[in-house]
Amino acid sequence: MKVTAEKNEKIATMLFASVYPHYLNKLEKKGRTKEELHQVIEWLTGFDDNRIKALIEEKATFRTFFQEANIHPNAHLIKGVICGYRIEDIADEFELYRQCRYLDKLVDELAKGRKMDKIMRSEKN
C-alpha cells in the first residue's frame, strides 16, 4: 500500500493516549507487561515512564509525540510489513507515518513473543 498525505495527517492528529491502551491490552493478552511496552517505547523514542505518562495526560498527538522523541539511531533496522505497509518502502516525506509504523511493529513483535534483544535492534558487526 502507498502512504498518502491524508493518511499521514490522520495519523499525525491521532492522540497517543487513544492508542496506548490498545497496545497495552494486546500485549497483556499475550502475557507481556506494561514494563516491556515502556521498554520498547523508551528504546525507540527515549521517553522514560514519567514522560510516557505525561504525554498520555497531555493528550499529545502522534505529531507531538514524535517531534519530541529522540528516535533511536538503529530504528532504520526495523523492517517488514505492518498494517499492510512495508516499513522500509515508506517515503521520507512521510517520516511521521514511518515512525508510527516502527512503534506498531515493535509492539507487534513483542506481542508475538520475540525476544527483547531482537526487538531492540543493534547493528551487526
Side-chain angles (χ1 to χ4, degrees):
M1 287 199 287
K2 196 150 176 64
V3 180
T4 63
E6 293 80 17
K7 286 181 185 177
N8 193 62
E9 187 59 23
K10 183 177 179 184
I11 290 287
T13 59
M14 198 178 282
L15 299 181
F16 173 69
S18 70
V19 178
Y20 176 85
H22 298 289
Y23 289 152
L24 189 56
N25 188 38
K26 177 179 185 173
L27 293 174
E28 287 178 339
K29 280 183 183 176
K30 299 291 186 170
R32 301 309 285 251
T33 66
K34 178 179 179 179
E35 290 73 25
E36 289 173 309
L37 172 59
H38 284 213
Q39 189 177 351
V40 297
I41 292 172
E42 185 170 359
W43 177 85
L44 180 64
T45 64
F47 297 145
D48 63 12
D49 289 346
N50 291 332
R51 188 65 190 130
I52 293 167
K53 184 179 178 192
L55 287 161
I56 291 168
E57 289 172 0
E58 293 166 16
K59 298 197 180 330
T61 63
F62 274 108
R63 177 178 285 123
T64 301
F65 182 87
F66 284 109
Q67 281 175 342
E68 293 183 11
N70 181 15
I71 299 298
H72 194 282
N74 289 344
H76 70 278
L77 298 173
I78 302 169
K79 298 184 183 332
V81 177
I82 189 78
C83 302
Y85 294 90
R86 179 157 292 284
I87 294 172
E88 58 271 29
D89 292 343
I90 297 173
D92 289 345
E93 68 183 292
F94 302 121
E95 182 179 8
L96 173 71
Y97 199 87
R98 184 183 319 121
Q99 291 169 339
C100 284
R101 294 301 169 217
Y102 284 161
L103 182 55
D104 290 343
K105 184 71 171 171
L106 295 178
V107 170
D108 196 52
E109 290 176 352
L110 193 57
K112 288 180 177 175
R114 193 165 194 203
K115 290 184 175 21
M116 198 61 83
D117 64 325
K118 297 285 187 190
I119 293 170
M120 297 185 295
R121 286 132 170 102
S122 60
E123 297 278 359
K124 304 250 191 294
N125 292 331

